[in-house]
Amino acid sequence: MVATREQVLDWLHEVKDPEVPVVSVVELGVVRDVVVGPDSVRVDITPTYSGCPAMRVMEDEIVATLQQHGMTNVSVRTVFNEPWTTEWMTAAAREKLRAYGISPPLHLQDDHPTLVPLRRNVVIACPFCGSHTTTLRSEFGSTACKAIYTCNECRQPFDYFKAI
Amino acid sequence: MTEPASASVTEHAGARAAGPTAGDASNPLFEFLCRMGDDRLILGQRLAQWCGHAPILEEDIALTNFSLDFVGQAAAFLKLAGEAEGQGRDEDALAFLRDENAFRNAKLVELPNGDFAFTLVRQYFFDAWDVLLLDALSRSTHATLAGIAAKALKEAKYHVRHSAGWVLRLGDGTEESHRRTQQALNELWSYTGELFESDEVERALAADGVVPSFASLRAPWETAVRDLLAQATLVIPDDARVVTGGRRGRHTEYLGHMLAEMQILPRSHPGATW
């Protein structure tokens, strides 16, 4: 079956990050390229975090999803030519995160672009009530990509999708 | 992982007979990539031993998150090492089917975890070095190595922020935390020199711009470390010894025990899958 690159990208929107099941691998920026040949398709992906256990799942689901759409010769290649950054996440994907209860990543220029400061003063908004008075509980959370915060207003604990 | 069991076993036996000898520079790229992978694999395994044992839940999660990053980085470097070697060994074969004397990690990372202060001082020494090394490697003439390093550098930056924060807090904390952190520093200082040692492997690769001069990382590392330790009210011991040998496969007695635990499953059940 012959498909266009656009069609394949459209189908790949069905593959979600298993740990953040509201954003697709395309919206997340994990899919770097799709190369459609006469009887094959190759999807290039890059890891979000080096040890992210969801990468293998996403890889398998990319293959399964494209096979469901009739592609038989599907390969997935991991590339490292540009390190993944949360800057690649679209505005729509950020809003989906917020609606899901995860505070979306700040833009890098607002966070820590190059320096490695010991103490930071970064304001993370509560995804539930929108308050800006929140407290970092742990920079490390349930997955490699998230930090744990608590909202001082509505008292709700929440995840922040870290900017890297 | 996808290889038939018999192939892995045969390769392992072959590696034991004809494996790299001490200080072997016949394939410097393979040697260097094993060092990169092994430092991360062994430190990642050590940090994973904190799972369920850290003093507070947040640190349990933090240390295991670090572990996950390091094991992931190790997989990328060891996969590339296998390709550089060209003998068909993948990252799993290198991680699980090599013996202790084929491991190229620095001795610093294989030491048992000790108390929380010991683990965090060791971590800070490693992270402060790692940021400098990965930053230099991200400009390597070897494109894939540069890409993996650039990815890992992002992680190293938050690692060092976290470990430095703890060294500062523990050193300049209570009497007890200060005492334990100073003791950790005294015990660990002589293990840091190995990170900066030059040898044939470095010279062969540095000539082509693949790696930086390891010794050139010493001055910026010491500046950062001395500054932080001073803030943490800790004193660098008067100890000029350099404990070395890990890069040539000569390890402390601790590594073998750890590998036995880490490797038993794939060695007892070759080719096993979930």
Side-chain angles (χ1 to χ4, degrees):
Chain A
M1 174 179 175
V2 181
T4 65
R5 187 172 180 274
E6 285 65 36
Q7 258 177 315
V8 172
L9 280 168
D10 202 42
W11 291 332
L12 289 177
H13 272 290
E14 295 167 25
V15 180
K16 309 294 184 196
D17 178 342
E19 288 173 340
V20 190
V22 286
V23 291
S24 76
V25 289
V26 179
E27 291 171 308
L28 199 59
V30 158
V31 172
R32 302 315 301 152
D33 202 4
V34 169
V35 181
V36 180
D39 59 352
S40 68
V41 60
R42 192 191 78 210
V43 181
D44 285 352
I45 61 170
T46 200
T48 51
Y49 284 77
S50 297
C52 179
M55 292 309 299
R56 193 65 67 89
V57 178
M58 290 190 242
E59 200 176 315
D60 292 346
E61 288 191 2
I62 286 170
V63 174
T65 300
L66 295 184
Q67 283 173 344
Q68 276 166 21
H69 283 283
M71 317 281 308
T72 45
N73 196 350
V74 183
S75 62
V76 178
R77 196 176 67 152
T78 300
V79 295
F80 287 97
N81 42 5
E82 249 190 306
W84 180 81
T85 168
T86 41
E87 292 299 294
W88 292 342
M89 290 177 76
T90 60
R94 287 164 192 264
E95 177 49 30
K96 285 181 192 172
L97 282 180
R98 198 204 53 74
Y100 185 65
I102 299 172
S103 195
L106 294 179
H107 286 291
L108 280 180
Q109 61 270 28
D110 303 329
D111 198 0
H112 46 93
T114 49
L115 293 173
V116 185
L118 283 181
R119 298 178 191 83
R120 295 183 302 154
N121 190 18
V122 178
V123 176
I124 305 300
C126 171
F128 301 107
C129 74
S131 166
H132 284 84
T133 53
T134 59
T135 306
L136 173 68
R137 291 289 170 211
S138 172
E139 196 177 336
F140 300 91
S142 55
T143 67
C145 54
K146 296 178 209 135
I148 303 169
Y149 277 76
T150 306
C151 177
N152 300 349
E153 296 284 334
C154 72
R155 318 302 294 171
Q156 181 76 22
F158 65 90
D159 279 333
Y160 165 59
F161 201 107
K162 289 186 272 192
I164 66 163
Chain B
M1 190 172 270
T2 50
E3 294 175 323
S6 57
S8 298
V9 172
T10 313
E11 268 163 25
H12 170 56
R16 206 193 293 238
T21 53
D24 182 15
S26 65
N27 190 341
L29 183 61
F30 172 69
E31 280 289 313
F32 177 70
L33 291 169
C34 283
R35 294 176 185 183
M36 292 300 290
D38 292 346
D39 278 347
R40 279 141 233 281
L41 180 65
I42 300 305
L43 184 55
Q45 181 75 10
R46 279 287 178 227
L47 289 169
Q49 291 174 335
W50 274 104
C51 188
H53 300 280
I56 52 172
L57 179 62
E58 287 81 355
E59 277 316 297
D60 210 285
I61 299 170
L63 294 175
T64 44
N65 261 266
F66 273 49
S67 172
L68 196 62
D69 287 341
F70 285 127
V71 173
Q73 293 170 13
F77 283 118
L78 291 179
K79 180 172 188 282
L80 196 57
E83 289 166 12
E85 187 191 35
Q87 308 275 321
R89 290 200 284 183
D90 65 6
E91 63 273 34
D92 287 324
L94 288 170
F96 296 119
L97 302 177
R98 276 181 304 157
D99 286 336
E100 179 196 345
N101 60 9
F103 272 77
R104 293 291 181 262
N105 59 281
K107 283 180 172 171
L108 175 72
V109 298
E110 72 199 38
L111 297 174
N113 286 330
D115 61 13
F116 187 65
F118 189 91
T119 292
L120 267 295
V121 172
R122 186 243 306 270
Q123 194 60 43
Y124 172 63
F125 284 159
F126 184 87
D127 293 339
W129 168 75
D130 203 29
V131 167
L132 296 166
L133 177 65
L134 293 172
D135 181 54
L137 288 175
S138 71
R139 294 185 296 275
S140 169
T141 51
H142 189 299
T144 309
L145 172 58
I148 296 170
K151 166 89 254 166
L153 176 60
K154 289 190 171 216
E155 293 157 5
K157 283 182 180 175
Y158 63 72
H159 292 163
V160 75
R161 189 168 65 231
H162 191 76
S163 58
W166 270 111
V167 171
L168 186 60
R169 239 171 294 164
L170 293 170
D172 193 19
T174 65
E175 211 172 290
E176 175 74 357
S177 74
H178 176 86
R179 185 186 63 76
R180 284 173 179 250
T181 312
Q182 182 63 55
Q183 192 182 327
L185 170 57
N186 296 347
E187 287 174 29
L188 283 162
W189 186 252
S190 60
Y191 287 89
T192 58
E194 188 176 7
L195 301 175
F196 306 98
E197 271 188 333
S198 291
D199 64 2
E200 284 302 309
V201 171
E202 177 209 307
R203 283 188 284 277
L205 295 174
D208 296 329
V210 176
V211 303
S213 141
F214 301 153
S216 72
L217 306 175
R218 174 107 217 177
W221 181 84
E222 270 210 40
T223 304
V225 165
R226 285 183 184 278
D227 179 54
L228 184 86
L229 294 180
Q231 285 184 61
T233 72
L234 297 165
V235 181
I236 292 175
D238 183 19
D239 183 356
R241 287 177 305 148
V242 176
V243 181
T244 183
R247 300 291 190 220
R248 294 181 299 283
R250 292 201 293 272
H251 294 283
T252 66
E253 68 268 37
Y254 304 115
L255 183 63
H257 293 284
M258 204 196 82
L259 290 181
E261 189 180 85
M262 189 182 92
Q263 296 180 332
I264 188 165
L265 192 104
R267 286 195 185 225
S268 304
H269 305 275
T273 55
W274 289 106

